[in-house]
């Protein structure tokens, strides 16, 4: 029922348009010289000529004429209004421009398929980047005993490089022992160590050992105010001569002078060396203990290289006969203890 009503209404409108068109055609010549204007109906794609003098419709018609292009509308040849919209480009069949690189997408281009256009459009070709192609890895020469090193290749399409671990297995160290060098009286020594013959890496460092210094025999007077001793070490032939130390004392009502190191005395009675004396102390004195005796006189001192050495803390001297003597520090006096 509703459909029939719409069809009837449409038929009535068409009849009305026909009547208007017939009336306008019949009377169009009668409006010559009048002021007229076209009214354009976009939705109906039609136009009507209106006489502003008579205030009547002169004519009615549907727009016709030039076709629209991709970018330009079609204009009615009668009312000159754009009654056809631009069709827009028809871009299909995009083809790659073959300009992708290893790291960047390229582009692709298509041409409009509408007749007479020929316009082109280029857009990104997403996902077209090639990625690097690394070939011919070459060792970098940095392998060693514990590492296979690295190898590097250059991309066949660009200048990018890629570095990876080298191939194979590291050979490990070829250990070479470094023997200890014993110190001498005047030269420092070294502890034992080790290194590798290929890479020279030090596995066990050789530490320096201080020189021993000379170890002298008993100091012997030279009769001229000096005394001499030879180094006792088997690999050393050094002899040292230094001045005697003069200690003034009085024995048997007689003033004498003696050297506590070599034992020479001004009255000709030599002070003999006492063997077997020992030292006990929390801080041992530097130097060698020398104990000398003659009738009624004992001297105790410490000696380094033929000269007196001063102890800097109390020390107990244990004599071979079982006696013990405290050797205390006296700053102002000579570091010699004389017992009578």
């Amino acid at each position: 029922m509703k459909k029939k009503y719409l069809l009837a209404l449409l038929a009535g409108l068409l009849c009305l348009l026909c009547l208007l068109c017939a009336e306008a055609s019949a009377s169009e010549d009668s409006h010559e010289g009048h002021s007229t204007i076209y009214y354009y109906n976009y939705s109906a794609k039609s136009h009507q000529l209106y006489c502003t003098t008579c205030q009547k419709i002169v004519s009615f018609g549907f727009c016709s004429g030039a076709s629209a292009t991709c970018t330009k509308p079609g204009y009615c040849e009668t009312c000159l209004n754009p009654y056809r919209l631009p069709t827009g480009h028809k871009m299909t069949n995009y083809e790659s421009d073959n300009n992708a690189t290893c790291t960047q997408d390229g582009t692709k281009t298509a041409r409009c398929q509408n007749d007479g256009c020929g316009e082109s459009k280029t857009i990104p070709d997403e996902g077209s980047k090639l990625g690097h192609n690394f070939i011919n890895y070459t060792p970098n020469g940095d392998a060693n005993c514990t590492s296979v090193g690295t190898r590097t290749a250059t991309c066949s399409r660009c200048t990018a490089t890629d570095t990876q671990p080298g191939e194979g297995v590291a050979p490990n160290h070829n250990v070479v022992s470094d023997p200890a060098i014993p110190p001498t009286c005047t030269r420092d020594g070294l502890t034992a160590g080790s290194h590798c013959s290929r890479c020279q890496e030090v596995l066990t460092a050789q530490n320096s050992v201080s020189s021993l210094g000379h170890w002298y025999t008993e100091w012997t007077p030279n009769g001229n105010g000096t005394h001499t001793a030879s180094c006792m070490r088997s690999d050393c032939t050094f002899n040292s001569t230094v001045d005697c130390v003069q200690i003034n004392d009085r024995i048997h009502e007689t003033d004498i002078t003696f050297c506590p190191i070599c034992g020479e005395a001004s009255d000709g009675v030599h002070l003999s060396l006492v063997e077997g004396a020992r030292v006990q102390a929390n801080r041992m004195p530097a130097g060698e203990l020398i104990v000398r005796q003659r009738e009624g006189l004992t001297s105790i001192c410490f000696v380094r290289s033929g000269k007196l050495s001063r102890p800097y803390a109390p020390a107990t001297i244990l004599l071979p006969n079982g006696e013990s003597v405290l050797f205390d520090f006296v700053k102002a006096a000579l570091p010699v203890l004389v017992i009578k």
Side-chain angles (χ1 to χ4, degrees), residues 40-61:
Y40 172 64
N41 187 330
Y42 175 79
S43 60
K45 301 293 189 293
S46 63
H47 54 253
Q48 54 185 347
L49 183 64
Y50 184 77
C51 178
T52 59
T53 303
C54 302
Q55 296 186 351
K56 291 183 178 181
I57 296 174
V58 176
S59 63
F60 171 87

Side-chain angles (χ1 to χ4, degrees), residues 9-291:
L9 179 61
L10 180 59
L13 289 174
L14 290 174
C15 291
L16 178 61
L17 289 174
C18 290
L19 290 174
L20 292 173
C21 186
E23 180 183 355
S25 300
S27 60
E28 188 170 335
D29 293 340
S30 63
H31 296 278
E32 185 177 357
H34 290 187
S35 176
T36 58
I37 187 171
Y38 275 105
Y39 286 102
Y40 172 64
N41 187 330
Y42 175 79
S43 60
K45 301 293 189 293
S46 63
H47 54 253
Q48 54 185 347
L49 183 64
Y50 184 77
C51 178
T52 59
T53 303
C54 302
Q55 296 186 351
K56 291 183 178 181
I57 296 174
V58 176
S59 63
F60 171 87
F62 290 99
C63 294
S64 62
S67 300
T69 67
C70 295
T71 58
K72 295 181 180 180
Y75 289 88
C76 176
E77 61 184 4
T78 301
C79 69
L80 304 180
N81 283 299
Y83 76 103
R84 287 180 178 174
L85 295 176
T87 61
H89 293 299
K90 184 180 180 181
M91 299 292 182
T92 58
N93 301 325
Y94 280 91
E95 295 183 359
S96 173
D97 296 322
N98 296 318
N99 57 357
T101 67
C102 294
T103 57
Q104 291 186 334
D105 289 337
T107 58
K108 56 184 179 180
T109 301
R111 292 191 176 276
C112 180
Q113 301 299 304
N114 293 330
D115 293 338
C117 180
E119 289 288 329
S120 64
K121 184 178 181 180
T122 299
I123 61 175
D125 189 6
E126 296 182 358
S128 64
K129 63 182 178 181
L130 304 175
H132 295 301
N133 183 34
F134 296 112
I135 58 175
N136 299 328
Y137 280 88
T138 304
N140 294 319
D142 53 355
N144 56 37
C145 294
T146 58
S147 172
V148 295
T150 58
R151 55 190 181 127
T152 299
T154 302
C155 178
S156 62
R157 289 186 284 263
C158 69
T159 60
T161 60
D162 178 58
T163 299
Q164 295 185 355
E167 297 180 316
V169 178
N172 212 337
H173 295 302
N174 183 27
V175 180
V176 177
S177 296
D178 301 311
I181 301 175
T184 67
C185 296
T186 57
R187 184 190 65 198
D188 291 345
L190 291 173
T191 60
S194 60
H195 69 279
C196 319
S197 63
R198 285 187 290 264
C199 67
Q200 300 303 313
E201 180 179 348
V202 175
L203 301 180
T204 303
Q206 289 185 284
N207 297 317
S208 178
V209 179
S210 299
S211 61
L212 301 174
H214 295 295
W215 181 28
Y216 293 104
T217 59
E218 181 181 355
W219 292 88
T220 303
N222 297 319
N224 59 0
T226 65
H227 47 232
T228 298
S230 300
C231 182
M232 290 191 298
R233 302 189 194 281
S234 60
D235 58 347
C236 184
T237 60
F238 182 76
N239 295 318
S240 177
T241 297
V242 295
D243 293 335
C244 289
V245 177
Q246 301 299 323
I247 301 296
N248 299 316
D249 210 323
R250 185 176 180 82
I251 186 169
H252 302 309
E253 305 299 325
T254 303
D255 292 329
I256 65 169
T257 300
F258 70 92
C259 176
I261 299 175
C262 68
E264 185 178 34
S266 59
D267 62 355
V269 182
H270 189 79
L271 278 72
S272 301
L273 182 66
V274 177
E275 302 284 354
R278 295 181 294 113
V279 182
Q280 287 184 345
N282 292 328
R283 180 182 176 186
M284 295 297 289
E288 179 184 0
L289 172 65
I290 293 182
V291 179

Side-chain angles (χ1 to χ4, degrees), residues 263-327:
E264 185 178 34
S266 59
D267 62 355
V269 182
H270 189 79
L271 278 72
S272 301
L273 182 66
V274 177
E275 302 284 354
R278 295 181 294 113
V279 182
Q280 287 184 345
N282 292 328
R283 180 182 176 186
M284 295 297 289
E288 179 184 0
L289 172 65
I290 293 182
V291 179
R292 287 190 177 274
Q293 287 182 331
R294 60 178 277 185
E295 184 182 357
L297 177 64
T298 300
S299 73
I300 301 173
C301 65
F302 293 91
V303 177
R304 291 186 67 181
S305 301
K307 297 181 180 180
L308 293 177
S309 175
R310 184 181 297 276
Y312 290 96
T316 299
I317 311 302
L318 302 177
L319 298 176
N321 62 4
E323 296 181 14
S324 62
V325 179
L326 179 63
F327 194 124

